[in-house]
Amino acid sequence: MAVLGIWLMADERRLKPLRPWMDYTFFIYAFHFILVRFLNKILARWLWGSELAAGLLYLGMPALVTASCCLVASVLRRFPWLWNLLNGGRGSVRQHVEQSGKSYGNR
């Protein structure tokens, strides 16, 4: 109940404009694990025995995977049938906002 109450108290006029990466959130959620596992396996064999490299990989992995997911998503969006298949038929955040009649931020 508390989460619902806080959600309803949010002032929509104070929300920041939608950013392009917000259209990719579900895809990032669904796809990031594949990349994390792949990079961990490959780089662990390549950087075997280096604690510094392992630490840098640990710190840099979130940015690397997020950027990679956004890049893959932007390419896949050029093929709407494939994007809809992989994204579960979810449209963009902007489409949902426009359909609801609300406006977030300055857009």
Side-chain angles (χ1 to χ4, degrees):
M1 285 304 267
V3 173
L4 179 62
I6 291 171
W7 179 268
L8 293 174
M9 290 185 335
D11 184 8
E12 295 172 1
R13 294 170 292 172
R14 296 181 65 196
L15 294 175
K16 294 180 181 180
L18 296 175
R19 294 178 182 91
W21 60 266
M22 291 179 177
D23 285 340
Y24 305 144
T25 54
F26 179 77
F27 184 79
I28 293 170
Y29 167 75
F31 190 65
H32 84 279
F33 184 74
I34 297 167
L35 285 178
V36 169
R37 292 289 291 180
F38 177 75
L39 289 174
N40 271 336
K41 296 287 185 186
I42 297 299
L43 295 176
R45 289 184 184 186
W46 185 52
L47 303 172
W48 184 79
S50 173
E51 292 180 15
L52 177 62
L56 291 175
L57 178 62
Y58 176 78
L59 294 174
M61 184 75 76
L64 180 63
V65 169
T66 303
S68 299
C69 285
C70 286
L71 179 65
V72 170
S74 67
V75 170
L76 288 174
R77 296 239 3 206
R78 296 179 186 173
F79 306 98
W81 64 272
L82 183 58
W83 173 253
N84 287 332
L85 177 70
L86 295 175
N87 205 30
R90 290 167 177 79
S92 74
V93 175
R94 282 178 191 74
Q95 288 174 339
H96 293 295
V97 169
E98 290 170 1
Q99 289 174 356
S100 69
K102 297 179 181 179
S103 63
Y104 290 107
N106 297 331
R107 293 186 182 199

